[in-house]
Amino acid sequence: MTAPRRWHRGILRRLLPHGLRFFRRHRGGLLGLAAWSLLESVQTFLVGFSIACSLDRGFLAGRPAEGLAWLGVAAASVLLAGPVLRGVFHRLSGMVEPFRDGLVQRAADQALRRAVADPARAAEAERAAVSRLTQQTEIARDGFAGLVLTVRSFAFTAVGAVAGMAALAPELLPVVLPPLALGLLLFLLTLPPMAAAQRRFLDADEACTDRAAALRVGLRDLVACGTTRPARDELLRLTDEAASAARALARWTAVRTLALGAAGQLPVVLLLAATPWLLDQGVSAGALMGALTYLVQSLLPALRTMMTAVAAAGSRLVVVLDRFVPEGQEDEPAEEPRDGGAEPPDGRAEPAVYCRDLRISYGAGTRPLVDGFDLDVPAGAHLAVVGPSGIGKSTLAHVLTGLHTPDRGTVRLSGLPPGGGGARSLARRRVLLPQQGYVFAGTVRENLAQLAPETGDDRLGEAVAALRLGPLVDRLGGLDAEVDPAALSSGERQMLCLGRAYASPAPLLILDEATCHLDPGAEARAEAALAQRPGTTLVVIAHRLSSALRADRILLLDGAGTAYGTHAELMRGSPLYRDLAGHWGVPA
């Protein structure tokens, strides 16, 4: 098997589950689109059938009035195309925009993960994200819309045309369908190499753009060091690669044109050549004219449009989606693998948080924040993390949620790796609330249910009651009121985010100074409500020692001096903790 074909099949295997999930989620829109498209089949059927009847039953039979009446039916069926297209485009928009929104969300998520995992390459991740959020997302949206529109049109037009020819004279089908199928087969064989050439072109184009940007920044140093020639040669190599891929695309486009000619012209030629035989078989002149009408007016134009869209937009769509769905990534895995690493001792329940031999740093050559770090947080526990500013408390929270990859060690959340899977899968397992509460322009209900859109009013009511959000929700106008994020204070945004965390299904909640804008009383009530939520493990990155006093256990981060225990244990055994307690006015 050739490399392009292996690559193409690999992409299809990866993309097919995502596509099936997308269409399942939007099956209502898909069924509505199919219903409107059936009307297109009826319109196609009526045009050719009416032309045939106008000849056989009207003009050739000496009844011109009946012939004109059938022509009127054909004209009326043509007028039906306007409302049908309007309904089709209305249903199509309900699928295309969610498709684009999903790609934008995925691109932003990938960029953030790369930037957090490798801060040194954050600028490169930003450039890639800009390309995905703008050009590549629009390519994907336009390609998806074009494919759905044209493939749907050809499929339902073919149904109407084949049904019409079968109704007029079944002998027409053996003449028309084989060359049509042959052209389609030749066309499908050109798709894998065209997609591979398109991928080569996009890869080379992105590499050339990144290289040119890097050369622009370092041009002075290149001139000073006398290394402009090697830099120029590298840029020329990338340019030549892009040009080579463009030439390969042009060659396969020529082959596609031959396939288009076979599928688009051979049926008409064979129909005309087989006319004497068809007449001998008893096929009427009207049936022949109807078949010709089906081919020339409906089937072949739809086929040419579909083949052009699949060859051009389809290849680009597959290549672009390959960037949004890296190999091995799934949106909603049925079960996440437990890869290598140490496991909890036999006979113990899986802890909510399990860390072994962790080494965490900000990058190669930097001093580790923790080294050889172990941690067990039982399910249902309440842990507070304290320590001097800049010691790595937020970074530890990012490691526990899969946003930052440790240099070494094993992390498990209820026995599973913290990362992997899509946003929905992760939101069902853990929630991280940062210091800046994120509230978006939408209803209060949508903000509270963001992490679990299927959440019912009963669950939202529990969150509102537990966190005492009633006055805030009433002031905003109720659950269905629109939220203006700019009109909310920092504390109000944090309260809505705490309600969002309470309403989520995640058993692990991590608050990274997520209550810093609340007064001490509101903070205490919020932490107590979250800790008492059934089945919840609460980890609080504390900015006040009062948060630590409310926790079951306290983790003190201080590089090599990391300590873990109760308040009383740390007061006895940790000088740094005693200093922090004295700073916050907590008696010994």
Side-chain angles (χ1 to χ4, degrees):
M1 186 184 298
T2 63
R5 186 171 298 178
R6 286 196 301 270
W7 172 82
H8 193 263
R9 289 187 178 180
I11 288 182
L12 292 182
R13 282 195 297 268
R14 230 168 31 249
L15 296 183
L16 185 59
H18 295 272
L20 293 177
R21 280 195 292 270
F22 175 83
F23 285 117
R24 279 200 302 268
R25 288 196 299 266
H26 298 87
R27 55 181 172 270
L30 195 62
L31 291 175
L33 188 63
W36 280 102
S37 300
L38 278 175
L39 294 177
E40 191 168 342
S41 296
V42 173
Q43 185 257 345
T44 300
F45 177 88
L46 288 176
V47 169
F49 193 82
S50 299
I51 293 294
C53 290
S54 70
L55 287 174
D56 289 340
R57 303 180 186 181
F59 299 115
L60 294 180
R63 295 190 289 272
E66 186 173 348
L68 290 174
W70 279 108
L71 289 179
V73 173
S77 65
V78 171
L79 295 177
L80 181 64
V84 169
L85 283 178
R86 181 179 178 182
V88 164
F89 276 100
H90 175 71
R91 291 291 183 175
L92 183 65
S93 64
M95 297 179 63
V96 171
E97 293 310 315
F99 175 79
R100 178 187 178 277
D101 293 343
L103 293 182
V104 169
Q105 181 179 356
R106 183 181 289 272
D109 182 67
Q110 289 176 350
L112 288 173
R113 287 177 178 275
R114 289 170 183 167
V116 170
D118 192 354
R121 303 184 65 184
E124 180 182 339
E126 180 182 353
R127 286 195 298 270
V130 169
S131 176
R132 283 175 170 82
L133 287 170
T134 55
Q135 181 184 13
Q136 295 186 30
T137 299
E138 293 305 315
I139 288 175
R141 181 181 69 169
D142 294 344
F144 177 72
L147 283 179
V148 173
L149 189 64
T150 55
V151 172
R152 170 212 60 83
S153 178
F154 170 71
F156 285 92
T157 297
V159 168
V162 170
M165 284 187 280
L168 292 174
E171 294 84 358
L172 295 168
L173 298 180
V175 176
V176 171
L177 293 185
L180 193 66
L182 175 62
L184 277 173
L185 178 62
L186 291 175
F187 167 73
L188 292 175
L189 292 176
T190 67
L191 292 180
M194 284 196 70
Q198 185 72 51
R199 184 199 188 199
R200 281 180 53 208
F201 177 78
L202 283 178
D203 286 344
D205 184 60
E206 284 188 357
C208 188
T209 301
D210 289 343
R211 187 61 177 166
L215 291 178
R216 179 180 60 82
V217 174
L219 185 59
R220 183 180 62 180
D221 295 335
L222 291 172
V223 174
C225 297
T227 57
T228 54
R229 183 179 295 276
R232 183 201 64 181
D233 293 343
E234 174 66 12
L235 189 60
L236 289 176
R237 184 189 66 78
L238 294 173
T239 304
D240 291 341
E241 175 66 17
S244 173
R247 288 192 293 271
L249 270 177
R251 289 193 296 270
W252 284 109
T253 300
V255 176
R256 185 205 70 194
T257 302
L258 293 176
L260 181 61
Q265 305 302 328
L266 274 181
V268 175
V269 172
L270 291 181
L271 179 64
L272 295 176
T275 295
W277 176 80
L278 290 171
L279 290 174
D280 290 341
Q281 300 300 313
V283 177
S284 66
L288 288 171
M289 182 58 69
L292 193 61
T293 301
Y294 282 130
L295 290 174
V296 176
Q297 290 292 110
S298 301
L299 189 57
L300 298 185
L303 174 66
R304 284 192 291 268
T305 302
M306 186 269 294
M307 291 175 68
T308 301
V310 170
S315 296
R316 289 197 299 269
L317 177 63
V318 169
V319 173
V320 169
L321 290 182
D322 185 40
R323 284 161 165 73
F324 286 92
V325 185
E327 188 169 359
Q329 180 174 333
E330 296 293 339
D331 277 338
E332 298 177 15
E335 181 178 354
E336 299 196 34
R338 301 184 185 184
D339 51 15
E343 295 294 341
D346 293 337
R348 289 177 50 189
E350 298 282 7
V353 178
Y354 173 85
C355 302
R356 283 296 179 273
D357 194 28
L358 280 192
R359 176 188 170 94
I360 304 172
S361 66
Y362 288 128
T366 62
R367 180 181 177 182
L369 302 173
V370 296
D371 196 357
F373 175 72
D374 295 341
L375 178 66
D376 285 288
V377 181
H382 179 181
L383 172 70
V385 182
V386 299
S389 178
I391 199 63
K393 299 186 296 295
S394 294
T395 303
L396 176 62
H398 292 164
V399 169
L400 296 182
T401 51
L403 296 177
H404 184 92
T405 303
D407 303 329
R408 185 189 68 231
T410 300
V411 180
R412 295 289 184 271
L413 304 182
S414 298
L416 298 176
R424 287 189 179 183
S425 173
L426 293 175
R428 288 194 292 266
R429 293 166 49 197
R430 86 289 186 275
V431 171
L432 170 64
L433 291 188
Q435 180 177 352
Q436 299 299 326
Y438 170 67
V439 176
F440 56 89
T443 65
V444 176
R445 184 193 310 277
E446 289 169 341
N447 272 277
L448 292 176
Q450 181 194 15
L451 299 177
E454 70 280 1
T455 301
D457 285 352
D458 291 343
R459 182 64 172 173
L460 296 183
E462 291 177 14
V464 170
L467 292 163
R468 302 187 187 182
L469 296 177
L472 174 59
V473 173
D474 292 341
R475 185 179 68 77
L476 294 176
L479 290 176
D480 293 317
E482 292 290 327
V483 175
D484 179 8
L488 299 177
S489 68
S490 297
E492 289 171 336
R493 287 196 291 271
Q494 284 190 336
M495 289 302 297
L496 287 177
C497 291
L498 291 168
R500 177 187 301 156
Y502 191 102
S504 79
L508 175 62
L509 305 182
I510 301 177
L511 310 187
D512 186 4
E513 300 194 13
T515 58
C516 63
H517 296 297
L518 304 182
D519 62 71
E523 178 184 63
R525 290 191 297 271
E527 288 181 4
L530 294 174
Q532 293 166 11
R533 190 187 73 153
T536 297
T537 303
L538 181 63
V539 177
V540 178
I541 309 298
H543 65 285
R544 299 187 183 107
L545 200 60
S546 56
S547 292
L549 297 177
R550 288 188 288 269
D552 304 327
R553 305 284 286 181
I554 302 168
L555 172 65
L556 171 66
L557 291 184
D558 184 29
T562 296
Y564 181 59
T566 64
H567 170 71
E569 291 170 347
L570 293 182
M571 288 294 288
R572 290 193 301 268
S574 173
L576 175 61
Y577 186 80
R578 287 196 297 270
D579 289 343
L580 289 175
H583 174 73
W584 276 314
V586 177

